[in-house]
Amino acid sequence: MKENTEENLMEKIVSLCKRRGFIFSGSEIYGGLAGTYDWGHFGVALKNNIKQYWWKKFVDNRRDMYGVDAAILMNSKVWEATGHVANFADPLDGKQFNTMLKTQIGAKKEEVAVSYLRPETAQGMFVNFKNTVDAFHPKLPFGMAQIGKAFRNEIAPRDFLFRQREFEQMEIEYFVRKEDWEKYFEYWKDEMLSWMEEVGIDMNKIHELEVLGEERAHYSKRTIDFEFDYPFGKKELFGLAYRTDFDLKSHKLDYIDEPARDESHSGGEKNKKIIPHVIEPTFGIDRAVLAILLSAYHEDQKGGETRAYLKFKPSMAPVICAVSPLLKNKPELVEYANIKVFALLKAEFGRVIWDDNGNIGKRYRRQDEIGTPFCIVIDFDTLTDDTVTVRDRDTGEQERIKVESLIDYIKNKLD
Ligand code: GAP
């Protein structure tokens, strides 16, 4: 088996994403719009799987996390209070260029106000801190989580999904007592690493970078960047920051600390007004997609030809299985495949497609490129013994499985 080479890897990924309906350049038929991408059917499915898995692990499976979906447009006072208006800038021609995307709101001249499209989802959580505390009365430590779009007027958008002007983030603001920050910083570092592994990011390509003094964002006392070996270099994938009490203090928010549920916390006074400190794990979804695509892309030799395949974890794959009648001009095969297999699997898994285009070899190659872990073929034996072939994407091997056992067979392989 030929090892996947780094050579032209980005070109191969970008071209596969377009050809197979994952990701397209934004506004393409009008010459594009730099720093924007549009997502096709399989790209949306992959992105949704990533987001859903993140929400399940960090919100649904926990008792201490509260979801938020805040507006993208926020009062510009938010960004003045947090220092973004003054500090959220990159150097350009010897000056600092603020990279927040400005817009105007309101129709009548006297009502028109400047607003910013949020450059991070984080503030949507901080400004709803009081609402969340009042509604749910959470005890420290607890967190807020949000998935959503963020916008930055990047000076030089580049490297496909890596640096865009419109992108998506999944962020957590985890509120702790000041004296506990180091413990929870370590805890979230481990949680982030396990999530990366669980979604199929190649952990040999992950490196931790301790971000030093001046390199850190203005609000952070400690930051670790998780870097990934992209074909264009070792660069940031996700980040973990200790934001101290910077944001809550900026918004003049506080919290009445009551006796802790968390026995292990290291002391502190009770029933006292405090400003919690914040540990922030942040994940860029687009960079997650890019890292997963780069980790999944493989090439090998099959039947004297080079084949490209995406070795997604089955739970992340845009399509879990493809169903094919061996021959599309044999009504008895088509009918069996459609009614007894496709309808059954579609109802169970949703992410199932019908593929009867071209010969079986071509169908397998197409599904390999999409990263479909299982191809199911209905042939003449099916009509007599109710078994189908299930082909494994990675090995190319086929097994005969009883139709009645198909759902369990696939479920067992969804990690
Ligand atoms: N709330 C903290 C924050 O926004 P950040 O490091 O500026 O921190 C967080 O951004 C994550 O968002 C990054 O680790 C990266 O994954 C993603 N990200 C940032 N800028 C991006 C861009 N221009 N295009 C795509 N993803 C981006």
Side-chain angles (χ1 to χ4, degrees), residues 54 68 73 88 112 119 131 142 155 166 170 222 261 284 288 310 330 341 363 368:
W54 188 90
V68 177
L73 295 171
F88 200 75
V112 168
N131 288 334
F142 71 91
I155 295 168
E166 173 174 345
M170 307 182 282
R222 185 178 176 201
R261 201 177 46 201
L310 289 171
K330 294 283 174 208
V341 183
R363 294 179 209 169
D368 287 343

Coordinates of all heavy atoms in Angstrom, one line a residue, residues 54 68 73 88 112 119 131 142 155 166 170 222 261 284 288 310 330 341 363 368:
W54 N -19.9 17.2 19.1 CA -19.4 18.2 20.0 C -20.5 18.5 21.1 O -20.2 18.5 22.3 CB -19.0 19.4 19.3 CG -18.2 20.5 20.1 CD1 -16.9 20.6 20.3 CD2 -18.8 21.6 20.8 NE1 -16.6 21.6 21.1 CE2 -17.7 22.3 21.4 CE3 -20.1 22.1 21.0 CZ2 -17.9 23.4 22.2 CZ3 -20.3 23.2 21.8 CH2 -19.2 23.9 22.4
V68 N -26.4 28.1 24.6 CA -26.8 29.4 24.2 C -26.8 29.5 22.7 O -26.0 28.9 22.0 CB -25.8 30.5 24.7 CG1 -26.2 31.9 24.3 CG2 -25.7 30.5 26.2
L73 N -25.5 39.8 15.5 CA -25.4 41.3 15.6 C -25.5 41.6 17.1 O -26.4 41.2 17.8 CB -26.5 41.9 14.9 CG -26.5 41.8 13.3 CD1 -27.8 42.3 12.8 CD2 -25.3 42.5 12.7
F88 N -8.7 44.5 18.8 CA -8.8 43.4 17.9 C -8.3 43.7 16.5 O -9.1 44.0 15.6 CB -10.3 42.9 17.9 CG -10.4 41.5 17.4 CD1 -10.1 40.4 18.2 CD2 -10.9 41.2 16.1 CE1 -10.2 39.1 17.8 CE2 -11.0 39.9 15.7 CZ -10.7 38.8 16.5
V112 N -29.6 55.2 12.4 CA -28.6 54.3 12.0 C -27.5 54.2 13.0 O -27.0 55.2 13.6 CB -28.0 54.8 10.6 CG1 -26.7 54.0 10.3 CG2 -29.0 54.7 9.5
P119 N -16.8 38.8 16.2 CA -15.6 38.1 15.7 C -15.3 36.8 16.5 O -14.4 36.1 16.2 CB -14.5 39.2 16.0 CG -15.1 39.9 17.2 CD -16.6 39.9 17.1
N131 N -28.5 36.2 32.6 CA -29.7 35.5 32.2 C -29.7 34.0 32.6 O -30.6 33.4 33.1 CB -30.0 35.6 30.7 CG -30.4 37.0 30.3 OD1 -31.0 37.7 31.1 ND2 -30.2 37.4 29.1
F142 N -19.4 25.7 36.4 CA -20.3 25.4 35.3 C -19.9 26.1 34.1 O -19.1 27.0 34.1 CB -21.8 25.8 35.7 CG -22.0 27.2 35.7 CD1 -22.5 27.9 34.6 CD2 -21.8 28.0 36.9 CE1 -22.7 29.3 34.6 CE2 -22.0 29.4 36.9 CZ -22.5 30.0 35.8
I155 N -7.0 40.2 6.8 CA -6.3 41.0 5.8 C -5.9 40.1 4.6 O -6.1 40.5 3.5 CB -5.0 41.6 6.4 CG1 -5.4 42.6 7.5 CG2 -4.1 42.2 5.4 CD1 -4.3 43.1 8.4
E166 N -15.6 34.5 7.0 CA -16.8 34.0 7.7 C -16.6 32.6 8.0 O -16.2 31.8 7.1 CB -18.1 34.2 6.7 CG -19.3 33.5 7.3 CD -20.6 33.7 6.4 OE1 -20.6 34.6 5.6 OE2 -21.5 33.0 6.7
M170 N -17.1 26.6 17.8 CA -17.8 25.9 18.9 C -17.0 26.3 20.1 O -15.8 26.0 20.2 CB -17.7 24.4 18.7 CG -18.2 24.0 17.3 SD -18.2 22.2 17.1 CE -16.5 21.8 16.8
R222 N -3.2 32.8 30.1 CA -2.4 31.6 29.6 C -3.2 31.1 28.4 O -4.4 31.0 28.5 CB -2.3 30.6 30.7 CG -1.5 29.4 30.2 CD -1.3 28.3 31.3 NE -0.5 27.2 30.6 CZ -0.5 26.0 31.0 NH1 -1.1 25.6 32.1 NH2 0.2 25.1 30.3
R261 N -20.9 22.3 45.1 CA -21.3 20.9 44.9 C -20.0 20.1 44.7 O -19.9 18.9 45.0 CB -22.1 20.8 43.6 CG -23.0 19.6 43.5 CD -23.8 19.7 42.2 NE -23.0 20.1 41.0 CZ -23.5 20.7 39.9 NH1 -24.8 20.9 39.9 NH2 -22.8 21.0 38.9
G284 N -12.5 25.9 16.1 CA -13.0 26.4 14.8 C -13.5 25.2 14.0 O -12.8 24.2 13.8
A288 N -11.6 22.2 12.0 CA -11.8 20.8 12.3 C -12.1 20.0 11.1 O -11.6 18.9 10.9 CB -13.0 20.8 13.3
L310 N -11.5 8.5 1.6 CA -11.6 9.2 2.9 C -11.9 8.3 4.0 O -13.0 7.7 4.0 CB -12.6 10.4 2.8 CG -12.2 11.6 1.9 CD1 -13.4 12.5 1.7 CD2 -11.0 12.3 2.4
K330 N -32.6 -4.8 -14.1 CA -33.3 -6.0 -13.6 C -34.3 -5.6 -12.6 O -33.9 -5.4 -11.4 CB -32.3 -7.0 -13.0 CG -31.3 -7.6 -14.0 CD -32.0 -8.6 -14.9 CE -31.0 -9.1 -16.0 NZ -31.6 -9.5 -17.2
V341 N -34.3 -3.0 1.3 CA -33.0 -2.6 1.9 C -32.9 -1.1 2.0 O -32.7 -0.6 3.2 CB -31.8 -3.2 1.1 CG1 -30.5 -2.8 1.7 CG2 -31.9 -4.7 0.9
R363 N -19.0 2.6 -8.9 CA -19.8 3.0 -7.7 C -18.9 2.9 -6.5 O -18.9 3.8 -5.6 CB -21.0 2.1 -7.5 CG -22.0 2.2 -8.6 CD -23.1 1.2 -8.4 NE -23.7 0.8 -9.6 CZ -24.6 -0.2 -9.7 NH1 -25.0 -0.9 -8.7 NH2 -25.1 -0.5 -10.9
D368 N -15.9 5.5 -2.2 CA -14.6 5.6 -1.5 C -14.2 7.1 -1.3 O -13.7 7.5 -0.3 CB -13.5 4.9 -2.2 CG -13.6 3.4 -2.1 OD1 -14.3 2.9 -1.2 OD2 -13.0 2.7 -3.0

